[in-house]
Amino acid sequence: MKINDIFSLKVRVLDRYILGELKSPFFFGLVAFTTILVAGGLLFQMADLIIQKGVSVGIVIRLFVYYMPRLVVFTIPMSCLLASLLGFGKLSANSEIVALKSAGLSFQRIVRPVTVAAFFISIVAFIINESVVPLSERAAANVMKYEVLRESAPLFTQKIFIKEEGDGVVKRVIYIDRMDNDTKDMKDVTVEEFDQGRLARIITSLDGKWEDGSWWLINGAVYEISKKTKEVGLLFKFDRQALRLNLRSEDIENVNREPDEMGIKELLSLIRLKERLGESPGELWMAFHLRLAVPWACLIFAILGAALGSRPQRASSGVGFGFSVIIIFVYYVIMSFSKALGENGSLPPAMAAWVANLVFLAISLLLCSRANRLG
C-alpha cells in the first residue's frame, strides 16, 4: 500500500473519530434543549388544559405529540452548536487539535467532516420544517378547535372579508356573510366599489354561487352614491350578474390560514393571491424566506462551535451549554429585529431573513481563520 493511500485511510478514520466525538453531545443537546422548551411553556399549557378545562389526558398527549416537531426543528441548530462546542473543546483540551495541526492538517480540513454532517442535518431540518411541521400544526389546530373547544366541524365559512387595493388605494371591498364549504353557495353578499378613494357604488345580493369557474350574484341590486350630495340611488336590479373576482373557490378558504400550517408552495400561492388583491404580503414573504433560511443555522452553528471549542482553554460541559444558550439567544434577537424590519418593508424580506445567518457566518469564518493560526 502506498504512503498516500495510508495517509488517506488515516484521514477517513480521523473524520469518523471526530464525528464520533460529536454524536453524544448532539443527542444530549437535542434532548436537553427540547426539555427546556417543553418545561418553559408547553408543559404549563398542557397542565392548564387538564386542570382548568378538564381535557382528557389522551387529547393532551396527542396535542403534545403534534407540537413536538416544531420544537425539535427549533432545537436542532442549538444541538449542532453544542455538539461542536463540546466535541472540539474536548479535542482541544486533550491537545489533539495541536497534534493534528502538527501532522500538517489545517483547521479547515479538521472541521470538514463537521461541515459535511451539518450540511445534511440542515437539509433534514428543512424537510421536517416543510413536510412534517405544517401537517402537525394543522392537526394541533384542529384538535384545539374541535376537541378542546368543542366546536363542531363547520359546514359554512362565515364573515368573509376581501379587500382589493391598487397603488395604495382601496378599489373594492367584498363582504360575504356566509359561504357553504361544499357547494360554495353564498348568502348576503355586499360589494363596495371605490373611485379614487371615494365610495361610488354598492352592489347587494341575496345569494351567490361558484359555477363553471366563475362567481355569480343572484337576486341583487346596484346602487350609486352621488359624488355631490352623497345620496344613495338605485341604478337597477338584476336576477343574475357575474362577479369579477380573481379568486378560485379554494382561495377563499386559504386566506385566513396561518403561515405555520402551510408549506412553501401553499405560502407562494397565498402570496400571489394577496398580490392579486393588491394587498401587501410582506409578512408572508418574510415567513417564506425564514422557512428557507432558518435550517441553515445548523451548518453555521456547527462551524462556529468548532472554532470556539478549538480555542486553547478548558471548559466544562455546563459552561459549554450556557455558552450555547447565550449564542442562540443573540442569534434569535438579531433575527427578531430583522424580521420586524422585513415585515414593515424597511428591509427586503429576502435580505431580512438571512441577516442573522450572514452575521454569524462572518463571525464563524473569522474565528476559523484565527483557529487555523492558533497552536
Side-chain angles (χ1 to χ4, degrees), residues 302-320:
I303 298 173
L304 177 61
L308 289 172
S310 65
R311 297 171 67 85
Q313 57 187 11
R314 294 179 180 271
S316 65
S317 58
V319 173

Side-chain angles (χ1 to χ4, degrees), residues 246-277:
N246 193 20
L247 294 177
R248 298 167 300 174
S249 59
E250 58 267 26
D251 289 336
I252 292 183
E253 298 177 6
N254 293 331
V255 168
N256 297 321
R257 284 178 59 186
E258 295 295 328
D260 289 343
E261 299 176 12
M262 293 183 283
I264 284 181
K265 288 184 178 180
E266 294 171 309
L267 268 175
L268 280 175
S269 177
L270 185 57
I271 288 170
R272 302 306 181 198
L273 170 61
K274 295 285 188 180
E275 289 176 340
R276 290 203 307 269
L277 295 175

Side-chain angles (χ1 to χ4, degrees), residues 125-135 138 257-272 284-296 354:
F126 172 79
I127 293 173
I128 295 174
N129 205 24
E130 173 63 15
S131 58
V132 179
V133 171
L135 293 177
R138 207 174 304 165
R257 284 178 59 186
E258 295 295 328
D260 289 343
E261 299 176 12
M262 293 183 283
I264 284 181
K265 288 184 178 180
E266 294 171 309
L267 268 175
L268 280 175
S269 177
L270 185 57
I271 288 170
R272 302 306 181 198
L284 293 175
W285 272 122
M286 196 68 222
F288 171 82
H289 288 292
L290 282 175
R291 191 71 61 84
L292 299 175
V294 170
W296 294 106
W354 288 89

Side-chain angles (χ1 to χ4, degrees), residues 13-28 79 82-94 96-97 100 113-114:
V13 172
L14 172 66
D15 290 344
R16 290 195 294 270
Y17 174 74
I18 292 175
L19 291 177
E21 291 293 315
L22 271 60
K23 182 170 63 175
S24 294
F26 175 79
F27 288 108
F28 166 75
S79 304
L82 181 65
S84 293
L85 195 59
L86 295 184
F88 273 76
K90 182 179 178 181
L91 293 174
S92 178
N94 295 333
E96 292 174 278
I97 298 291
L100 291 173
V114 180

Side-chain angles (χ1 to χ4, degrees), residues 294-333:
V294 170
W296 294 106
C298 300
L299 175 60
I300 295 170
F301 283 149
I303 298 173
L304 177 61
L308 289 172
S310 65
R311 297 171 67 85
Q313 57 187 11
R314 294 179 180 271
S316 65
S317 58
V319 173
F321 189 86
F323 201 25
S324 300
V325 171
I326 294 173
I327 293 173
I328 294 293
F329 175 77
V330 174
Y331 174 85
Y332 282 106
V333 166

Side-chain angles (χ1 to χ4, degrees), residues 36-58:
I36 290 174
L37 291 179
V38 169
L42 186 57
L43 194 61
F44 290 103
Q45 296 177 22
M46 299 296 104
D48 181 70
L49 289 176
I50 294 175
I51 299 171
Q52 299 294 333
K53 296 183 171 59
V55 179
S56 69
V57 175

